[in-house]
Amino acid sequence: MSRRTLLKSLSVASLPLAFRESPTERHNTAPTPFPQPAVTAPQRAAGAAAPVTEQTLDVRFAEVSVPGHGRVTTRAYNGAVPGPTLRVRAGGVLQLTHVNGLPPNPHTDGGHNVPHHPNSFNLHTHGMHVSPGGQADNVLREFAPRTQEDADAGGPEPRYTSTIHVPENHPAGTYWYHPHLHGSIAEQIVGGMTGVVIVEGDIDEVPEIKAAADLVVCINELKPKDGRIPAFTTGNWVTGIPSVFTVNGAVNPTLQLRPGEVQRLRLVAATAFTALRLTLTGDSDSDSDNNSNSGSSSGSLTMHQIAQDGITFPRTVAQDRIDLAMGNRADVLVRGGTPGRYELRAETVPGPLMTIEVTGDRVDPPMALPDALPQGRPFLDENETATPQPDRDVVFHSDARVFPAPFPNAFRILGTGATPPADPAGDLTRDPAYGLFDPDVVNHTLPLGKVERWTVRTDETLPAHSHPFHLHTNPMLLTHRNGSRLDPPVWHDTIGLSGGSPGDSVTFLVKYEDFTGRTIAHCHQLQHEDLGMMQTVDYVEP
């Protein structure tokens, strides 16, 4: 039995992450196993046309343990942070039942661009190329809780269904799911309502990757205070409560890796507010022989990236640093080098996210890294666009003190397709509608089969202010950042944009394929999304 098969076959509670060593070798201290979420695998029923991954996602308030903060009451999938990992195959089906066990929604008097309906949700399979309509990846649905009348009468908890058909040619890779009801997203995700989706396929059969342990590293950003996740009630809610970062529900868990051993880490930035600039640094003193065998440099481990946002690279890329905006994913291979402790750190996070301990007997010869990869999606041809000029120019912009407290700031998307102002002749910086999400406005009509070039930029001046751009349903091929061409270009479903003088600007190509229907594009700093930094897109037949 291969080590990868063995890992899959064992229960989550007993999952070992390294070959066993004697207690003496571990200084008489047995390591805590590196945590993994529960896993639901696809099953093929007799006579079924495709394998089905069937899962009930039960949402209610639960107490979860947050190391250093005790028990924290939060909304959770199946009582855990993160929720179960859903494995599905290209050509398969995600069959999900959603139970809303939350209490009735409190009354709110604000409009649609202030937080509301905190106990309603829906489901978004972030980054997946699937239908945005019907009972699939439809973020315009609402899975409401019982009304107060139904609860008082003892009525049953509502149940909803999602049936998501994954195309036969869907790229294999790492995706994630989370609620996406406008007005309630930030509070729910900062409470840990997230989970990972893995689409199995060709990349998993590359011999060097198949031989490696396959591990989820889901990074959550929680905002606990006084034993619970507080309600989103003011515009400074984010800055007023320090973030706690967990990996698979644990604070700084330790992963064991033998010298020369390769493990695959599926890094998921399931954060609502914080971008992650990741490095793997350590306390070891490497020598040149170890460097050549391990791919590590002095005091660090190299991350050999094989995919971005679920789409496999043409080849492995050695990275000392990986930037993940909120919602991004990166699949990396890490090979143990010089024995020692290494920490996965993010630039703006005070402590380590996780620790990798390189220890034990050396794997000799070292496990190999792949030279070539089955490219997850072919690049688009820039000549397919109608002109060399952008088809759409989108600008993230904010205006302070437009509205009365507690949510005074206007978070707008301007440029092509901007929501019209309420008073075109007035002061647009004070306008209550200009560039803000309006459910009755279609901001972009996108015909199937067309390739378009977009530029997206931010006019924020502070580097800490970021506006990741996320387009639902179709991935984007990033070709330029701040005017510089990427060679090769890189597929994304979420593209980070930081403020500055000037702020970041990106250019990408996108082809609208396969699915019609209304969905959204928005800022993935999720407080901004809830407050109106979102647009409606409509994929239509040509």
Side-chain angles (χ1 to χ4, degrees):
M1 180 181 290
S2 71
R3 183 160 180 270
R4 185 169 184 266
T5 303
L6 177 63
L7 285 169
K8 283 185 177 181
S9 68
L10 295 174
S11 69
V12 172
S14 63
L15 190 67
L17 274 257
F19 291 92
R20 295 293 182 185
E21 303 165 38
S22 70
T24 301
E25 291 172 315
R26 288 190 181 140
H27 308 289
N28 298 313
T29 302
T32 301
F34 187 73
Q36 287 288 275
V39 178
T40 301
Q43 304 290 330
R44 187 182 290 273
V52 176
T53 302
E54 192 168 357
Q55 176 70 54
T56 296
L57 295 174
D58 184 286
V59 177
R60 62 189 66 244
F61 280 107
E63 281 194 353
V64 300
S65 177
V66 180
H69 296 267
R71 306 292 292 179
V72 174
T73 300
T74 185
R75 301 172 184 84
Y77 291 119
N78 297 8
V81 174
T85 295
L86 308 177
R87 283 184 167 268
V88 66
R89 296 189 186 121
V93 179
L94 279 172
Q95 186 66 54
L96 308 175
T97 299
H98 312 271
V99 180
N100 191 334
L102 296 170
N105 277 311
H107 175 74
T108 55
D109 292 320
H112 54 266
N113 287 328
V114 297
H116 60 280
H117 289 180
N119 294 329
S120 291
F121 55 91
N122 53 33
L123 184 84
H124 176 41
T125 51
H126 185 121
M128 294 187 69
H129 180 61
V130 294
S131 171
Q135 292 189 332
D137 185 39
N138 186 347
V139 298
L140 304 181
R141 300 170 75 193
E142 179 182 356
F143 303 163
R146 290 180 294 184
T147 64
Q148 190 61 60
E149 293 76 15
D150 287 341
D152 292 342
E157 295 172 339
R159 301 170 75 90
Y160 303 87
T161 300
S162 294
T163 303
I164 300 171
H165 295 270
V166 182
E168 292 277 358
N169 62 348
H170 195 288
T174 306
Y175 304 86
W176 65 301
Y177 64 90
H178 60 82
H180 211 304
L181 185 69
H182 180 62
S184 64
I185 306 172
E187 184 175 327
Q188 292 171 358
I189 292 186
V190 84
M193 273 186 71
T194 63
V196 175
V197 180
I198 295 174
V199 179
E200 300 175 341
D202 52 6
I203 182 65
D204 307 310
E205 299 306 317
V206 173
E208 296 87 351
I209 296 174
K210 190 173 184 178
D214 186 350
L215 305 173
V216 165
V217 179
C218 185
I219 304 167
N220 284 98
E221 177 180 18
L222 309 179
K223 292 273 187 184
K225 182 179 181 182
D226 300 328
R228 63 186 304 108
I229 304 297
F232 186 2
T233 56
T234 67
N236 63 1
W237 174 67
V238 173
T239 56
I241 303 172
S243 295
V244 176
F245 293 88
T246 62
V247 168
N248 301 335
V251 173
N252 189 22
T254 297
L255 168 66
Q256 288 203 328
L257 181 66
R258 293 173 65 190
E261 179 190 10
V262 174
Q263 296 191 8
R264 177 186 187 177
L265 307 183
R266 298 177 183 264
L267 304 172
V268 181
T271 57
F273 315 119
T274 302
L276 304 173
R277 174 164 285 183
L278 299 176
T279 57
L280 259 176
T281 57
D283 58 9
S284 68
D285 293 321
S286 301
D287 57 50
S288 59
D289 180 62
N290 284 336
N291 291 344
S292 62
N293 286 335
S294 71
S296 65
S297 60
S298 180
S300 68
L301 289 176
T302 300
M303 294 175 283
H304 301 273
Q305 189 172 0
I306 59 174
Q308 172 71 37
D309 285 357
I311 299 180
T312 307
F313 288 171
R315 60 178 176 81
T316 303
V317 178
Q319 307 272 33
D320 293 323
R321 185 190 80 196
I322 290 179
D323 290 322
L324 297 183
M326 298 76 96
N328 281 149
R329 287 91 56 221
D331 283 37
V332 301
L333 302 176
V334 176
R335 182 161 57 190
T338 302
R341 294 176 65 84
Y342 301 82
E343 294 177 342
L344 182 69
R345 283 187 169 268
E347 191 172 85
T348 58
V349 177
L353 297 171
M354 62 177 281
T355 296
I356 295 181
E357 186 178 74
V358 178
T359 185
D361 296 334
R362 179 176 298 277
V363 177
D364 192 19
M367 293 173 65
L369 297 167
D371 293 323
L373 299 170
Q375 185 173 353
R377 194 177 183 94
F379 295 144
L380 298 173
D381 185 351
E382 293 189 58
N383 294 323
E384 288 189 55
T385 58
T387 72
Q389 302 304 313
D391 297 278
R392 300 172 195 272
D393 183 41
V394 171
V395 183
F396 286 114
H397 173 85
S398 59
D399 288 314
R401 298 178 296 278
V402 175
F403 304 111
F407 302 102
N409 300 332
F411 294 96
R412 311 183 193 273
I413 301 181
L414 305 180
T416 306
T419 300
D423 180 8
D427 181 357
L428 296 184
T429 66
R430 306 293 95 190
D431 195 272
Y434 182 46
L436 297 172
F437 174 64
D438 185 334
D440 296 324
V441 172
V442 174
N443 303 94
H444 302 280
T445 300
L446 309 176
L448 292 193
K450 188 174 184 180
V451 176
E452 288 192 336
R453 179 184 285 105
W454 293 46
T455 62
V456 181
R457 52 195 170 91
T458 174
D459 61 11
E460 298 281 6
T461 57
L462 295 178
H465 290 181
S466 61
H467 298 297
F469 178 77
H470 177 44
L471 176 66
H472 287 214
T473 308
N474 290 287
M476 303 166 285
L477 184 65
L478 182 63
T479 61
H480 295 75
R481 180 175 285 278
N482 297 327
S484 298
R485 179 179 291 276
L486 277 64
D487 186 17
V490 180
W491 286 105
H492 288 258
D493 55 58
T494 306
I495 300 174
L497 294 157
S498 296
S501 299
D504 279 347
S505 172
V506 297
T507 300
F508 61 80
L509 302 175
V510 57
K511 186 174 184 178
Y512 316 122
E513 296 186 285
D514 300 323
F515 303 108
T516 59
R518 288 190 181 184
T519 187
I520 56 176
H522 63 96
C523 174
H524 220 276
Q525 207 281 28
L526 294 173
Q527 180 189 26
H528 299 167
E529 192 276 2
D530 276 337
L531 298 178
M533 206 169 241
M534 184 166 83
Q535 295 183 322
T536 298
V537 302
D538 191 9
Y539 295 111
V540 299
E541 293 289 352

